[in-house]
Amino acid sequence: AGRCRDALRCMQEAASYLPADRPPQLLGSFAAALTLSGRGREARPLFAGIEGYLEAVEPLSPEGQTVVLSLTPRTWLGDFEAADRLVARWVDRARDAGCLAYLGFPQALGAEVDFRRGRWGEGLVRAHEAVRSLEETGQTSPLAFALVTLAQLEAGLGREEACRAHVERAMEIA
């Protein structure tokens, strides 16, 4: 939490140098930092303020890859419908373009939404797909996230050995 608060302070300082109409990418990152700092109530209006941008931005663009990270805290705040809808958009676009490198992280996010909504079967499918694509593209940090999400799903289904294996692997990566 200390690092999140430090990041939040840095973002606040950086934002003070920007014009009033701050870029949506910054607002998404700022909202994520607020959420991770235990200030989710303050993050909600920022997420609401970039909703239209998230609906319109090209998921495979650099901007799209920046704001996809802001979808994770929305799940933690219980904004499941919005997170699910936006994640599906990112996944569909990556699949349509045959862009495996952009598929894994949104799939892991979708698996987390499924876990939190009690859709564990669907979550397992998404989490396994996320792990495969992240392994194939060598993306270690999101791979650790996908493995933890997969472990949560396995635990919920009573699969202790599989859960432990995924957690151990995630810890090795992290």
Side-chain angles (χ1 to χ4, degrees):
R3 289 185 182 176
C4 291
R5 283 190 289 274
D6 291 343
L8 183 57
R9 275 193 297 277
C10 286
M11 280 190 230
Q12 287 170 319
E13 184 177 337
S16 71
Y17 296 104
L18 293 172
D21 59 336
R22 292 175 171 76
Q25 302 93 320
L26 175 66
L27 294 176
S29 296
F30 189 54
L34 283 168
T35 304
L36 289 168
S37 298
R39 296 166 58 185
R41 184 172 285 132
E42 295 171 63
R44 285 185 185 279
L46 294 176
F47 284 132
I50 63 169
E51 188 78 25
Y53 177 78
L54 290 172
E55 296 284 352
V57 69
E58 165 55 47
L60 302 184
S61 70
E63 295 82 12
Q65 290 305 298
T66 300
V67 295
V68 73
L69 298 174
S70 70
L71 300 181
T72 307
R74 294 193 74 168
T75 302
W76 302 333
L77 293 172
D79 295 339
F80 301 130
E81 287 80 17
D84 212 13
R85 183 181 66 254
L86 292 166
V87 162
R89 186 170 174 270
W90 258 254
V91 169
D92 290 347
R93 183 65 184 100
R95 279 197 176 120
D96 290 348
C99 194
L100 187 63
Y102 288 178
L103 182 62
F105 184 68
Q107 277 294 73
L109 289 175
E112 184 172 352
V113 171
D114 288 336
F115 169 72
R116 291 174 180 262
R117 295 181 93 177
R119 300 184 310 206
W120 295 352
E122 294 97 328
L124 276 175
V125 171
R126 284 172 125 171
H128 280 291
E129 184 177 0
V131 167
R132 272 192 308 276
S133 65
L134 293 164
E135 285 173 337
E136 289 179 28
T137 56
Q139 298 178 63
T140 55
S141 292
L143 176 58
F145 172 71
L147 287 165
V148 168
T149 303
L150 183 54
Q152 291 173 320
L153 288 156
E154 299 282 17
L157 293 168
R159 301 176 183 168
E160 184 178 345
E161 286 183 39
C163 172
R164 287 182 185 277
H166 298 312
V167 169
E168 287 174 15
R169 187 156 172 236
M171 294 301 290
E172 289 171 6
I173 293 169

